[in-house]
Amino acid sequence: MNWRAIRAIVTKDWKVIRQSRSVILPMILLPVIILVLLPGGMGLLLSNLPSDNPDLTNMTSDMQMFFDNMPPSIAAVLDGLTTEAQKTAVLFLVYIFAPLYLILPIMVASVVAADSFVGEKERKTLEALIYTPTSDRELYVAKMLLPWILAVAVSVIGASLYAIVVNVSLWPMMERVFFPNMTWVLLALWVSPAAAGLGLGAIVLVSSRASTFMEAQQTAGLVVIPIVVLMISQMAGIVYFGVEMVLVLGLILWLIDAVILWYGARRFQRGELMARL
């Protein structure tokens, strides 16, 4: 591997991305909405609701099936809480929000990767890129590396912001720092890098064949469908984001990543890109 050439391509892509609003804005707005505004608003709302509020009582009763079917490890955590408001807050912000967090690395990686080749086409720089003194595999690795690094960085920083927001907004209710737990540590360090790999692996294959950045970006939205299914399944009480679930999910995603990366490396040929100029 010619890592000097790979580093040069990654550096060039990073300079281009920093000047692209269509790439930078989603990288900023998505974490702010998912990991700051939504949990902060919910935390403040629950912290200021009286314990006998009928809305809180109705919300708790609606989630009773979820409480009844959850694994013992999660039930033990909730049983240790004293009020229904605390149980509801921890249930939503620690467990139900967990699959929503995984949308972040997938979308960041997808948006950046969608620009990896389509952006070169639109900027009329793809021909110069193709003639760089690199092998097909080195060019493929260079185009995969930056989206993955950015997605992982945004995910880890986002998880840190989420922890601050959750603890601050729920401090009046919890009166202690209770977040993150082991499930979220594994989500940030084990599952989110794998989720980023899933998003960029699929989208780089698409972006090398798409005509415009918008076309590739719209296709990127399809990658989050499995995460939405996970979220709905957890709300329905079918799956639960405990430690065991997160470990297994991460392993499955890493295996899928390995297959996609292997397939993409075999299929990627700059000759096909030249034919599409």
Side-chain angles (χ1 to χ4, degrees):
M1 282 285 188
N2 186 351
W3 289 105
R4 184 176 180 179
I6 291 174
R7 184 169 61 251
I9 294 173
V10 170
T11 302
K12 186 267 299 180
D13 284 351
W14 173 233
K15 291 179 180 178
V16 172
I17 286 172
R18 285 184 297 175
Q19 300 172 356
S20 175
R21 289 186 177 182
S22 59
V23 177
I24 290 296
L25 284 180
M27 289 176 57
I28 296 174
L29 293 178
L30 192 64
V32 170
I33 293 172
I34 293 179
L35 301 178
V36 177
L37 297 181
L38 288 179
M42 176 173 288
L44 291 174
L45 176 63
L46 292 173
S47 294
N48 290 283
L49 279 178
S51 58
D52 58 350
N53 186 281
D55 293 333
L56 180 60
T57 303
N58 292 336
M59 184 185 302
T60 304
S61 62
D62 291 339
M63 298 299 296
Q64 191 59 47
M65 182 182 69
F66 190 93
F67 287 120
D68 293 339
N69 296 326
M70 67 178 53
S73 58
I74 299 178
V77 173
L78 297 179
D79 288 341
L81 302 173
T82 56
T83 67
E84 295 298 327
Q86 289 179 341
K87 292 181 180 181
T88 302
V90 171
L91 177 64
F92 274 91
L93 295 178
V94 177
Y95 296 103
I96 293 181
F97 258 66
L100 185 63
Y101 165 73
L102 293 180
I103 293 178
L104 182 62
I106 290 178
M107 289 304 299
V108 170
S110 299
V111 169
V112 178
D115 187 62
S116 62
F117 289 107
V118 180
E120 299 279 4
K121 293 177 185 179
E122 294 181 340
R123 291 186 294 269
K124 308 299 182 184
T125 57
L126 183 57
E127 187 172 6
L129 177 67
I130 288 174
Y131 288 110
T132 55
T134 57
S135 66
D136 288 347
R137 180 164 296 183
E138 290 167 349
L139 183 57
Y140 180 75
V141 169
K143 285 297 185 180
M144 297 283 280
L145 194 56
L146 181 62
W148 186 80
I149 291 174
L150 289 177
V152 172
V154 171
S155 298
V156 172
I157 294 172
S160 302
L161 287 175
Y162 186 82
I164 294 172
V165 169
V166 168
N167 284 305
V168 170
S169 63
L170 292 179
W171 182 267
M173 178 195 303
M174 306 296 293
E175 296 182 344
R176 61 186 175 89
V177 175
F178 71 98
F179 187 89
N181 61 0
M182 183 53 66
T183 297
W184 273 82
V185 171
L186 291 172
L187 275 175
L189 301 181
W190 168 245
V191 182
S192 69
L198 177 65
L200 72 90
I203 297 306
V204 165
L205 293 177
V206 171
S207 66
S208 64
R209 293 163 173 78
S211 302
T212 65
F213 172 76
M214 290 303 298
E215 179 184 341
Q217 195 172 22
Q218 289 170 359
T219 306
L222 299 177
V223 186
V224 303
I225 291 178
I227 304 302
V228 175
V229 171
L230 279 176
M231 187 183 306
I232 295 173
S233 299
Q234 184 169 235
M235 290 291 292
I238 300 174
V239 298
Y240 298 88
F241 265 61
V243 173
E244 298 83 2
M245 170 67 181
V246 170
L247 286 172
V248 172
L249 176 61
L251 179 60
I252 292 173
L253 290 179
W254 280 116
L255 291 175
I256 295 174
D257 288 350
V259 173
I260 292 178
L261 293 174
W262 173 81
Y263 178 77
R266 286 180 59 88
R267 287 291 304 271
F268 179 79
Q269 295 180 354
R270 66 182 68 200
E272 292 187 8
L273 295 177
M274 293 177 64
R276 294 173 181 273
L277 283 173

